[in-house]
Amino acid sequence: MADSVSGLSSVEAIDLTPVEKPRQLFLEVLYDWVTTVDHKKIGLMYIAYSLIFLVIGGIEAIVMRIQLAVPHNTFVSPQVFNRMFTLHGTTMVFFVGMPILFGFGNYLVPLMIGARDMAFPRLNAFSFWISAFGGFLLYYSFIGGSGLYGAGSAPDVGWFAYAPLTARVFSPGHSTDYWTLSILLSGIGSIGTALNIVATVICMRCPGMKLNRMPLLAWLYLVTSSMVFIAVSPLTAAQIMLMLDRYVGSHFFDAQAGGSAILWMHFFWIFGHPEVYILVLPAFAFANEIIPVFSRKAIFGYPAMVAASVGIGFISLSVWAHHMFAVGMGAGANVFFVFSTMIISVPTGIKIFNWLATIWGGKIRFASPMLFSVGFLFQFLVAGLTGIMLSVAPFDWQLTGSYFVVAHFHYVLVGAILFMIFAAFYYWFPKATGRMMSERLGKWHFWLMVIGFHLTFDFMHIPGLLGMPRRIYTYEPGRGWEIWNLLVSIGAVIQAIATLIFVYNLVHSYYKGEKAGNDPWDAWTLEWSTASPPPSYNFATTPIVHSRRPLWDIKHPEDPDWNYE
Amino acid sequence: MSTIPITPDPADEPWVLPDRGTIGMACLIIAESAIFVIFVVAYIFYMGQGLGGPTPKQVLELPIFTTICLLSSSLTLHWAVVGLRKSKIGAFNAWLAATVVLGAIFLIGTGMEWYHLIYVDGLTIQTNLFGTTFYSLVGLHATHVIVGLLMLIAALIFGLTGHVDEKHAHRMDVLSLYWHFVDAVWVIVFTVVYVLGR
């Protein structure tokens, strides 16, 4: 090892084994976590809170699938069904997707760029708690209302809350107020965290880590976070307008007084479509880290990957109205949004080919993180293809609001994003806890998940093509939808079982998993150079990097990475 | 220890990164701009679409004086920071106090305008689309002025009690970025609401 190479090698000289602390009382531990400003603890809290909501949102999905498994089912009432799909969508996007990705970002970004913490640690804690408060506020609506199965007076306006459904007349009581407030609060939290990540990536990099040497994960979090404050802010503004409408009687979305429901759609989707990319770019980020390590090759086309990500970020801000082809915007607007939507498949395609080129000829290890990444590659490709189909306005006119659309976006959200989140869990769990997750349970999880996923969302396209609309609580027999709906419901249950195996694996491995060591995957980025779990200051000495793969330089001093940049 | 022929970057290359306060404030300004854009778009979208009620032409008067006050407060704040950087605490306090007074005059002007609109002209946020978009857009801006004023007053109190020296200049830079942003937004609001809207 060359001590002179970098600060990194001297890290190994210092004893990083965590000091055994005396057992703390439960209240002390709680106090530690509630008051912490450490980016790793906040990241873990984000992840824990989104896992809780993942289970809740999953239960809501299962309730819907039980209701739709057979025609004329009476498992839930229409009202409860409406609440279920509203809460399922809202929960999964705002309280699972965003927080889990911010959780990983919080945990990984400072570690990967060699910083000791985020740029604004206290803002970080504030953002977490206000987001979490938003999530719990949504479910607080359950308390004290009427309705079956404890659904109380939960919101029932759909996750997009189209006007005029949200007007006082159509949505009496406080359910929509809970929805608005919870989204508003979590939006403020998201903007705070995004701002923090951008400032961290720009201002906190360790010496030598130029922008063109940052891990792609840091790059993608930079792009995603920049998109958050361009895309989530409009949503916040729209929520303020909706609250003004509901509380003080203004008329933004009140058609009776000349207001416009279409304006809400625009404002919502100006947020809503970039949101898809806000969620999927971190999934790309995980793939960028995991696929090279498990193929034993450097990522193919680093500059192209960066350019494609920035390109996706820009183009995604101009595609929102492809959710509104059926509204009647006129041919000019439709053509613009058809083409902007199609153009986004170019940078996305660049990414897929770069991942394939990275895998090509590599020494592939099919550990759980790689399995999920391969599943991601395949499923993301299919999701992209149905996406191109739906970007064609005439095709969209036929199928918008049908189960084909539901199948398409679940292909992205589950097949791509959730699969990569699982991969990220298997990959970074050893770093966060010091223990490996069980490979055997991981394989069970993966294969059950793949089977359940394809059973559910492949077959969901078919009733959509046969004309089954979204958001119906039941249907007539004899339209050819029964068999497909039954298969879809069975697939959903299999996915639920797979997820439970995953949760069991998390808990079991936390206590019983085999010790991981600092660098169990033989990886190349900075987070693997410190102890597992990392000490509260991350690095004993500030690392200095000279290439994109600092640990490779240390492990292979005869063939350092900077020769190839 | 294997010896390696390492020729990475020259070790003495200076490693300077941007100030996190400035970057953080820049990000906040982008986020806030996006919020303002939505409100401005709503204002323009509904311009002239009100069903009855007072119209902008009937009730709005150009707030020339308060606008001049607000825009010149950007200048006074700039001189305050310049004074601070030169360690002239007295000048800093004086210019900062002038900024606070000018900002306060602007707020009082908005308050008087709103009082007149509500109690004389009978225009509230519920009256029509003009009321809805006017009060929300101008109110959003006024909220930002209030927040900025509170921070400026805090800085002034620190200045008067002798807690500020030239080491804090970059913090004042960050604060003045925010204040300049609030002023710039007013230029847009003024143009859209009082010039184009009438």
Side-chain angles (χ1 to χ4, degrees):
Chain A
M1 286 294 149
D3 284 333
S4 58
V5 177
S6 67
L8 273 178
S9 36
S10 59
V11 170
E12 286 156 313
I14 294 169
D15 183 20
L16 280 173
T17 42
V19 186
E20 203 67 41
K21 282 191 214 148
R23 272 187 81 81
Q24 287 175 301
L25 291 172
F26 173 71
L27 273 179
E28 288 173 351
V29 176
L30 193 68
Y31 184 80
D32 266 6
W33 282 88
V34 171
T35 59
T36 189
V37 292
D38 178 25
H39 73 98
K40 295 183 292 297
K41 283 190 171 172
I42 292 172
L44 292 179
M45 286 197 292
Y46 262 119
I47 291 171
Y49 127 70
S50 49
L51 278 181
I52 294 170
F53 280 111
L54 177 70
V55 173
I56 295 174
I59 291 170
E60 284 152 5
I62 294 296
V63 168
M64 283 188 283
R65 281 325 307 177
I66 292 175
Q67 167 67 16
L68 292 174
V70 289
H72 286 317
N73 202 349
T74 53
F75 180 62
V76 291
S77 69
Q79 181 71 10
V80 171
F81 191 84
N82 289 351
R83 289 173 175 159
M84 283 297 133
F85 73 65
T86 303
L87 286 172
H88 172 71
T90 310
T91 306
M92 287 303 195
V93 171
F94 293 102
F95 305 117
V96 178
M98 300 258 274
I100 209 164
L101 299 167
F102 277 141
F104 277 103
N106 247 308
Y107 196 95
L108 293 172
V109 166
L111 278 171
M112 290 182 102
I113 62 172
R116 296 212 157 171
D117 207 324
M118 301 282 274
F120 308 105
R122 277 173 291 186
L123 173 66
N124 203 14
F126 168 80
S127 307
F128 167 75
W129 286 108
I130 200 148
S131 301
F133 181 67
F136 292 117
L137 193 65
L138 182 68
Y139 280 86
Y140 185 78
S141 63
F142 271 74
I143 297 173
S146 58
L148 285 169
Y149 303 107
S153 53
D156 55 0
V157 290
W159 87 280
F160 36 75
Y162 280 166
L165 286 177
T166 47
R168 275 233 168 269
V169 198
F170 300 104
S171 174
H174 288 296
S175 60
T176 305
D177 300 326
Y178 280 118
W179 184 84
T180 319
L181 271 173
S182 69
I183 304 297
L184 187 70
L185 291 176
S186 80
I188 292 170
S190 305
I191 294 170
T193 308
L195 185 158
N196 214 338
I197 289 178
V198 170
T200 307
V201 172
I202 294 183
C203 309
M204 307 291 281
R205 280 166 289 137
C206 68
M209 184 162 285
K210 299 173 184 167
L211 281 177
N212 66 354
R213 283 185 190 153
M214 281 201 307
L216 278 171
L217 185 136
W219 257 112
L220 285 182
Y221 267 94
L222 183 63
V223 176
T224 306
S225 305
S226 315
M227 287 173 67
V228 165
F229 43 73
I230 301 172
V232 177
S233 304
L235 180 72
T236 307
Q239 302 291 356
I240 295 171
M241 289 177 185
L242 182 56
M243 274 175 60
L244 289 176
D245 271 13
R246 288 184 61 87
Y247 280 104
V248 298
S250 64
H251 306 296
F252 281 109
F253 309 118
D254 174 9
Q256 295 282 312
S260 164
I262 307 290
L263 193 67
W264 170 266
M265 293 181 82
H266 278 293
F267 287 171
F268 187 83
W269 289 118
I270 282 172
F271 150 78
H273 200 83
E275 171 71 6
V276 176
Y277 293 92
I278 289 170
L279 294 176
V280 84
L281 282 174
F284 292 170
F286 303 151
N288 287 336
E289 300 303 323
I290 293 171
I291 289 176
V293 166
F294 287 87
S295 309
R296 310 309 304 156
K297 282 175 69 188
I299 188 89
F300 183 88
Y302 177 99
M305 284 300 228
V306 172
S309 313
V310 177
I312 288 175
F314 274 108
I315 304 170
S316 72
L317 296 171
S318 65
V319 299
W320 75 88
H322 69 218
H323 294 261
M324 300 162 60
F325 285 146
V327 167
M329 294 182 295
N334 279 359
V335 167
F336 174 80
F337 287 105
V338 164
F339 281 106
S340 61
T341 306
M342 285 182 178
I343 279 172
I344 212 163
S345 61
V346 174
T348 318
I350 291 174
K351 284 182 161 291
I352 289 183
F353 282 115
N354 277 340
W355 286 318
L356 290 178
T358 306
I359 294 174
W360 188 272
K363 269 183 272 172
I364 303 168
R365 292 181 287 173
F366 279 112
S368 303
M370 187 62 176
L371 279 179
F372 277 98
S373 304
V374 173
F376 154 81
L377 274 182
F378 174 70
Q379 284 147 198
F380 184 65
L381 177 67
V382 176
L385 294 178
T386 51
I388 295 173
M389 289 162 77
L390 284 171
S391 76
V392 183
F395 187 88
D396 185 78
W397 287 337
Q398 299 303 314
L399 286 173
T400 189
S402 81
Y403 262 83
F404 188 88
V405 175
V406 180
H408 159 69
F409 70 70
H410 279 87
Y411 238 90
V412 182
L413 295 171
V414 180
I417 298 169
L418 189 62
F419 267 63
M420 264 340 284
I421 287 173
F422 284 142
F425 265 102
Y426 285 98
Y427 185 62
W428 280 293
F429 185 87
K431 181 44 64 184
T433 64
R435 289 173 189 275
M436 306 293 288
M437 286 180 80
S438 159
E439 271 298 311
R440 195 171 53 85
L441 288 175
K443 297 238 155 65
W444 273 97
H445 173 210
F446 173 73
W447 287 111
L448 275 179
M449 194 70 202
V450 165
I451 293 167
F453 170 80
H454 285 280
L455 205 52
T456 305
F457 296 114
D458 289 3
F459 289 140
M460 197 183 267
H461 289 93
I462 298 171
L465 287 169
L466 296 176
M468 180 170 167
R470 302 163 73 166
R471 301 189 279 269
I472 49 169
Y473 76 101
T474 193
Y475 50 92
E476 296 281 326
R479 296 183 176 186
W481 302 348
E482 297 99 319
I483 178 71
W484 306 115
N485 272 299
L486 188 61
L487 286 172
V488 167
S489 294
I490 292 170
V493 173
I494 296 175
Q495 287 184 76
I497 294 168
T499 309
L500 289 180
I501 292 176
F502 165 71
V503 172
Y504 172 77
N505 194 354
L506 278 183
V507 177
H508 183 262
S509 305
Y510 180 76
Y511 291 107
K512 299 265 166 67
E514 62 175 289
K515 296 269 186 206
N518 291 356
D519 185 14
W521 307 115
D522 192 10
W524 304 308
T525 36
L526 280 180
E527 79 269 31
W528 304 103
S529 73
T530 185
S532 313
S536 59
Y537 45 83
N538 288 355
F539 300 99
T541 55
T542 305
I544 300 166
V545 298
H546 302 291
S547 75
R548 280 176 202 145
R549 299 190 298 165
L551 293 204
W552 172 276
D553 300 341
I554 291 182
K555 290 171 191 165
H556 303 273
E558 73 290 349
D559 183 27
D561 208 27
W562 60 76
N563 289 346
Y564 303 97
E565 279 172 18
Chain B
M1 289 295 122
S2 55
T3 51
I4 314 120
I6 293 153
T7 48
D9 320 312
D12 49 4
E13 185 182 328
W15 185 246
V16 187
L17 291 170
D19 172 54
R20 65 195 170 123
T22 314
I23 297 291
M25 184 52 79
C27 295
L28 184 72
I29 285 173
I30 297 172
E32 294 274 6
S33 309
I35 292 181
F36 273 107
V37 163
I38 293 296
F39 276 90
V40 169
V41 165
Y43 193 92
I44 295 173
F45 186 83
Y46 288 133
M47 209 181 262
Q49 287 196 16
L51 307 174
T55 62
K57 215 172 180 60
Q58 291 162 347
V59 293
L60 280 192
E61 285 168 30
L62 279 177
I64 302 275
F65 174 66
T66 55
T67 300
I68 291 172
C69 284
L70 187 68
L71 295 187
S72 41
S73 75
S74 251
L75 211 57
T76 54
L77 183 59
H78 174 72
W79 286 331
V81 180
V82 169
L84 181 61
R85 196 161 282 128
K86 291 180 185 160
S87 290
K88 292 181 188 157
I89 305 297
F92 168 72
N93 285 337
W95 284 121
L96 194 54
T99 313
V100 169
V101 169
L102 288 171
I105 291 173
F106 174 81
L107 264 188
I108 292 166
T110 305
M112 284 164 60
E113 181 195 29
W114 282 30
Y115 183 88
H116 194 269
L117 285 174
I118 293 169
Y119 291 104
V120 180
D121 302 320
L123 177 77
T124 68
I125 197 166
Q126 301 186 356
T127 310
N128 56 17
L129 279 171
F130 166 55
T132 293
T133 49
F134 172 80
Y135 285 109
S136 55
L137 177 56
V138 176
L140 185 70
H141 178 261
T143 314
H144 283 78
V145 175
I146 293 171
V147 172
L149 264 188
L150 289 177
M151 293 193 289
L152 288 174
I153 290 171
L156 184 59
I157 291 172
F158 286 129
L160 290 174
T161 52
H163 287 87
V164 175
D165 56 46
E166 72 279 4
K167 285 199 296 291
H168 300 106
H170 84 274
R171 297 193 184 191
M172 283 307 295
D173 274 338
V174 174
L175 179 52
S176 59
L177 263 183
Y178 176 83
W179 191 253
H180 297 322
F181 162 69
V182 171
D183 277 6
V185 168
W186 180 252
V187 174
I188 293 164
V189 173
F190 183 86
T191 314
V192 168
V193 174
Y194 295 96
V195 180
L196 299 177
R198 282 166 86 238

